[in-house]
Amino acid sequence: IDVYSTELREEWTLLLWTTVAVLVPVLITLWCSFQRPKRKVQLKDLFRKSKHGWHYTDLFNKPTYCCVCSQPILQGAFCDCCGICADEECIQRADRILSCKEIMTQSQTDGRFYHQWVRGNVPLASYCAECKQQCGNQPKLCDYRCVWCQTTVHDDCLSSLNDDLCDLGEFRSVIIPPYYLYQVNKLHRRHPDEYSKLAAVCGSGWTPVLVLANTRSGNNMGEVLLGEFRTLLNPVQVFDLSELPPSKALQLCTLLPPGSVRVLVCGGDGTVGWVLDAIDTMKLKGQDQFIPLVTILPLGTGNDLSNSLGWGAGYAGEIPVEQVLRNVLEAEVVQMDRWKVQVVSKGNYFRKPKVLSMNNYFSVGPDALMALNFHAHREKTPSFFSSRIINKMLHYYRFNLELDGEQVTLPSLEGIIVCNIGYWGGGCRLWEGMGDEPYPPTRVDDGLLEVVGVYGSFHCAQIQVNLANPVRLGQAHTVRLVLKSSRMPMQVDGEPWAQGPCTITITHKTQALMLYHSAEHTDDDDSSASEAEEPSADHIDTASNTQETVTVS
């Protein structure tokens, strides 16, 4: 009986400890899950009031140490401007005792600018500026990094560093120094000539870059890029377009020397069009001399404009942002036509016509229907019409086409596409087709539109996989299209809608100054095809002269 009682007691003891071992982690996890929302609310309030650009993470992607207590941490917060890291218990203290990048500050009394050091968590494979040995290779909080020039130095080498002056590093020609903005803020008379005088202290060839990122484009790459660019540049020149529209972000150009600014748009073609519309608004305000050059880092789903200008069909972090900035500095200036699309509905002549800006292409028919269905699915809104009915209607000839005032005899087409650039439909060279037929060359600055027709959605698919040619209808300076169908899908630069009977007129609007990246091509097509889209030397010279004229005016 005693043996049986002992065994029974041991079994119950084992069962008890097993239950405790299972339940305790579960209870702790549940408690943490209930506390996390409350903790996040407290942190969010702290982050909103802080001068740091705090971001919370549940897991750091590399060995990280708290900049306050020096202990290794797996989760906590980091500042994407200055790079300091802290665990949850030390965030408030870190926010209080550790300074961030100052977007606007005066230089020292002797007119010089000194390093601003942050200790620990230096980038991998970084080397000491003094002894040239690798930094950050010890399993502890060690070594220093300058938040402006990204120079790294060992703890022991910091005191013996020969020069404590900061020259802003490799990207000094694109960074807006904090002391420049301080001097601008002190100006009694804000005039472009004064900005040019102040820019002399920034060195020759100073071409500041503004970064405008759409965090809703791409697979969360916008958020990542914002942090990486804030680390390299002055945070004041990096904008999140979900928080500030481009019309307001571009006003920073009016505080910089005329003709010197470049704008890097991180997003899809729609984001680029948004920025170019904001630049047109600057022209209406009489700010022509401050118009920036525009370049693209493609993040969205439709990147045909980026592809046409040599920046590729999409960015997924395959090259570091440092190389992106180098490419921007090496890019060539080109002009790109922009067009006005005016839609006048039949029977509504007294109503104000719908006016849109076009950079890429306009289309009516099968590809617009696909874009409309995709848009409706993405926005989770009911479809405007039945696709079956529309497809049936498209089998009939329902439109008249005029190119430069001349009527064009059309075959039995289901759709018409009007292109300004060489790429269409996510990377297809529409005007070129299979390349087995002679065709007039295309340029983004020739003031001409390329007009093609398609027989249906299957024909569109064949063109996209290079198995068929489009129906080339001609090139024109002005396109007029009369739609007779009761309801048809159409799109401008990927923005679709359903349209009843109407008259569409496409005319030249203006030209935008863009940056063309000629160092690499975006696909493996033959070089002759690439040359069709690449600007010639005369084209680049013309664009450069235009930019000089804008600068002088």
Side-chain angles (χ1 to χ4, degrees), residues 223-482:
E223 288 280 359
V224 176
L225 287 170
L226 282 172
E228 293 181 348
F229 280 117
R230 285 183 183 129
T231 299
L232 289 176
L233 308 175
N234 189 331
V236 77
Q237 61 192 106
V238 182
F239 299 92
D240 183 352
L241 294 182
S242 65
E243 299 178 356
L244 192 72
S247 57
K248 293 185 178 180
L250 290 174
Q251 288 305 301
L252 181 57
C253 297
T254 63
L255 300 179
L256 299 167
S260 66
V261 183
R262 301 186 175 204
V263 171
L264 175 61
V265 182
C266 305
D269 288 348
T271 306
V272 178
W274 191 17
V275 173
L276 293 178
D277 286 341
I279 290 177
D280 288 344
T281 303
M282 291 179 65
K283 295 178 182 178
L284 295 176
K285 293 180 179 179
Q287 299 173 343
D288 300 62
Q289 57 185 330
F290 297 108
I291 297 301
L293 305 176
V294 179
T295 184
I296 308 169
L297 187 61
L299 298 183
T301 53
N303 298 307
D304 291 308
L305 178 57
S306 171
N307 223 352
S308 298
L309 294 174
W311 297 103
Y315 177 79
E318 57 272 8
I319 61 173
V321 293
E322 291 87 352
Q323 186 58 45
V324 172
L325 290 175
R326 296 185 193 106
N327 292 342
V328 171
L329 290 173
E330 296 169 359
E332 302 163 343
V333 182
V334 298
Q335 295 181 83
M336 184 187 74
D337 295 320
R338 301 192 72 217
W339 302 83
K340 181 176 75 172
V341 180
Q342 182 172 286
V343 182
V344 180
S345 298
K346 183 179 180 181
N348 294 324
Y349 299 108
F350 297 103
R351 183 182 298 178
K352 189 176 181 180
K354 185 175 185 177
V355 179
L356 302 166
S357 296
M358 185 187 85
N359 303 310
N360 300 0
Y361 39 74
F362 163 86
S363 69
V364 54
D367 72 319
L369 175 62
M370 289 185 285
L372 183 59
N373 287 337
F374 173 77
H375 180 77
H377 177 72
R378 181 176 62 180
E379 300 294 329
K380 295 183 179 179
T381 57
S383 179
F384 290 98
F385 46 83
S386 168
S387 298
R388 183 181 301 173
I389 295 175
I390 289 294
N391 284 333
K392 187 174 181 180
M393 289 168 51
L394 289 175
H395 283 290
Y396 298 95
Y397 170 67
R398 294 288 181 179
F399 31 70
N400 293 332
L401 176 67
E402 292 181 8
L403 300 182
D404 289 336
E406 295 186 6
Q407 186 79 26
V408 178
T409 302
L410 298 174
S412 184
L413 299 173
E414 287 189 14
I416 289 179
I417 304 170
V418 182
C419 290
N420 179 48
I421 59 177
Y423 283 88
W424 161 85
C428 170
R429 288 190 174 101
L430 180 63
W431 182 252
E432 176 187 336
M434 294 190 297
D436 58 344
E437 299 175 354
Y439 56 90
T442 64
R443 294 164 62 98
V444 295
D445 69 331
D446 56 5
L448 289 173
L449 292 166
E450 287 70 48
V451 185
V452 303
V454 292
Y455 293 115
S457 56
F458 183 69
H459 187 206
C460 287
Q462 287 180 308
I463 294 172
Q464 286 189 313
V465 295
N466 210 26
L467 291 178
N469 287 316
V471 181
R472 298 186 186 92
L473 301 174
Q475 294 176 294
H477 299 88
T478 302
V479 176
R480 186 171 182 267
L481 190 63
V482 180

